[in-house]
Amino acid sequence: MLTKFASLVGINTLTALMSFFSTWLIVNTSGLELIGLFAYWNAFVAMISLIVYLLPPNFSIIYLQEKENNHFDRMLFSHYIYISLIFVFLALIGFYFSLLYFLVVFFALCAIWLNYIDIVSQANNRLHSYFGLKLFSASGIAIVLLLFEKLTIETLFLIYIVSNFFTISMYFIVHRSFANRKIVSLSYYISYMKAHYQTFKGYYLDIIAKRFKDSGLILMIGALVAPSVLGIFSIFQKCASFVVGNIRILESLLLSKANFLQYKTLFGNIPLLLGMIGFAGIFSLSVMFLYRSNQQIPWVDLLVYSLFVFPISRVIFIRSSLLMHYQTGVLNRYTIWFISVFVAVFMLTLNYDPLLAICLAYTLSETIGYFYLKKYQERFNA
């Protein structure tokens, strides 16, 4: 697994470099405000895409691995087809209101199929293929952005939509997934969802809470601070997503039961090392990015934000363990703790310094959430 992890980190590093380059091009041609606006609409896309999680991803990843449930792949594929029809309808309606609404909904449509590819790739332990497609997409976006001297939010969304569409098409061509998947009837699909509602509903609170944590809070921040402030924080997040994204590869690998059982003895030794490397990575990458973009570096804010990688590097391992034992209720409460602390700290410190308020709220929330999970895990393992 460690060899596979190193290989995936290498591919993810190249993808992140392409993403960094794209963000740098956007900042240098169109300013921090556009990055902030793009982050805001991305959060909106994440929220309206919640409907696709009626069939929970974590359940799907684990259930696809059970040999006796080998027809579940048809249900999963059909689910995404039927949800896509809803988004196509919404996109057509949005076109009558504005081009931006149309593009945002179509971007969401692409996002849900990328989510489908992610689920199937994790379940089949085929992350190399998925990460290769992400590298292809990120490279295409960077190349196209080189052609523009000035960008609008509509142009930016269009570039990402075209790139994502080609990425999704490449996946289905390579794996011939359309040829191997039969769509179940709508009546059977509805009956299946009703029959398994009691199983699925245990995941819903975790999904909604986690999505609000990742995206709903961005919508709240975007409504209360200037786009340029959200733009700087988005750069912090971009650097953090590169570092934490590599750590999360471990979580994806550990959702394979064979990997989890084989390497669970290493859990106590790795998180601190990952935290130290992650802290240095987030801090240095953010400094270099802002410096090369001729932007002022908010040293204190960045230092406070970078500290969050220490608790998150431990949370990732605890999450994998809890998911393997279907302890979704604990993860729900962890996320609720995070959101509650974030909102309280952010609102109390907003008038002092908006950017520092965001960074402080983020790090304190992740730290308190980690201590909650640690306390529960100790009781669970006792």
Side-chain angles (χ1 to χ4, degrees):
M1 188 188 77
L2 295 179
T3 302
K4 184 179 290 187
F5 172 66
S7 175
L8 291 173
V9 166
I11 299 173
N12 195 54
T13 299
L14 292 175
T15 304
L17 288 174
M18 290 295 101
S19 182
F20 279 134
F21 183 54
S22 297
T23 303
W24 182 81
L25 288 172
I26 296 169
V27 171
N28 279 271
T29 58
S30 308
L32 287 169
E33 290 78 8
L34 184 60
I35 287 292
L37 192 59
F38 189 59
Y40 180 84
W41 281 110
N42 264 280
F44 177 78
V45 165
M47 295 303 292
I48 66 172
S49 300
L50 267 173
I51 187 174
V52 79
Y53 294 117
L54 285 172
L55 192 56
N58 287 327
F59 171 86
S60 300
I61 292 168
I62 296 172
Y63 208 63
L64 281 170
Q65 298 177 63
E66 304 292 341
K67 291 182 180 179
E68 63 271 22
N69 301 316
N70 57 0
H71 293 300
F72 180 72
D73 56 347
R74 291 176 55 190
M75 178 56 61
L76 181 66
F77 184 73
S78 302
H79 171 71
Y80 278 79
I81 290 292
Y82 289 127
I83 296 299
S84 296
L85 295 177
I86 297 174
F87 276 84
V88 170
F89 177 71
L90 292 175
L92 294 175
I93 294 177
F95 185 75
Y96 285 99
F97 292 94
S98 80
L99 177 61
L100 179 58
Y101 290 155
F102 171 78
L103 293 173
V104 166
V105 177
F106 210 86
F107 182 78
L109 177 62
C110 292
I112 67 171
W113 279 103
L114 290 174
N115 176 257
Y116 170 82
I117 296 172
D118 187 12
I119 290 171
V120 174
S121 298
Q122 288 189 55
N124 293 306
N125 211 7
R126 211 162 52 193
L127 287 172
H128 274 92
S129 174
Y130 175 62
F131 277 77
L133 286 171
K134 288 180 66 177
L135 175 59
F136 171 79
S137 177
S139 302
I141 290 170
I143 291 171
V144 173
L145 286 174
L146 284 169
L147 304 176
F148 290 85
E149 294 183 358
K150 186 74 174 179
L151 291 161
T152 63
I153 188 64
E154 291 85 1
T155 305
L156 191 56
F157 266 114
L158 183 60
I159 292 170
Y160 274 82
I161 288 170
V162 172
S163 177
N164 289 341
F165 178 79
F166 276 109
T167 301
I168 295 164
S169 300
M170 286 281 290
Y171 173 83
F172 285 115
I173 291 171
V174 170
H175 296 287
R176 302 179 182 274
S177 294
F178 278 118
N180 298 331
R181 299 286 185 271
K182 294 181 180 179
I183 302 174
V184 302
S185 68
L186 181 59
S187 59
Y188 179 81
Y189 166 74
I190 294 173
S191 298
Y192 183 92
M193 297 298 289
K194 287 182 177 179
H196 291 79
Y197 172 74
Q198 292 300 322
T199 302
F200 295 157
K201 75 174 185 178
Y203 291 86
Y204 290 154
L205 180 58
D206 177 54
I207 291 169
I208 295 171
K210 190 174 184 300
R211 186 52 59 95
F212 187 81
K213 170 191 170 186
D214 294 338
S215 302
L217 292 177
I218 295 296
L219 290 176
M220 181 190 74
I221 293 168
L224 297 174
V225 304
S228 58
V229 174
L230 184 56
I232 295 174
F233 181 68
S234 298
I235 291 173
F236 289 175
Q237 282 197 312
K238 176 73 70 174
C239 297
S241 67
F242 164 61
V243 175
V244 177
N246 284 322
I247 298 174
R248 286 195 184 279
I249 294 173
L250 274 177
E251 183 179 27
S252 298
L253 291 172
L254 291 172
L255 282 177
S256 170
K257 293 181 179 179
N259 292 337
F260 178 83
L261 294 172
Q262 184 177 359
Y263 292 97
K264 66 179 181 179
T265 56
L266 298 176
F267 289 5
N269 304 321
I270 296 178
L272 179 60
L273 177 62
L274 291 177
M276 294 173 64
I277 295 172
F279 174 82
I282 294 173
F283 191 86
S284 59
L285 283 173
S286 299
V287 169
M288 286 189 291
F289 188 98
L290 290 171
Y291 176 78
R292 295 297 298 174
S293 301
N294 298 316
Q295 301 291 332
Q296 186 177 359
I297 301 172
W299 295 99
V300 175
D301 311 67
L302 177 57
L303 176 64
V304 170
Y305 176 76
S306 301
L307 289 170
F308 94 94
V309 76
F310 285 101
I312 195 63
S313 63
R314 296 180 179 274
V315 166
I316 286 172
F317 286 89
I318 298 175
R319 272 180 55 86
S320 297
S321 176
L322 293 173
L323 285 171
M324 279 295 167
H325 294 90
Y326 300 95
Q327 297 295 311
T328 55
V330 182
L331 297 175
N332 294 343
R333 293 189 289 274
Y334 152 74
T335 309
I336 291 171
W337 266 107
F338 181 98
I339 295 169
S340 301
V341 174
F342 186 98
V343 172
V345 174
F346 175 69
M347 296 306 294
L348 287 172
T349 57
L350 176 61
N351 291 331
Y352 173 70
D353 184 331
L355 182 58
L356 181 59
I358 301 170
C359 297
L360 183 63
Y362 202 87
T363 298
L364 284 178
S365 301
E366 201 66 72
T367 303
I368 293 173
Y370 158 68
F371 281 119
Y372 168 76
L373 286 182
K374 181 183 178 183
K375 183 178 179 181
Y376 180 86
Q377 188 186 43
E378 289 172 350
R379 293 204 308 266
F380 186 75
N381 294 332

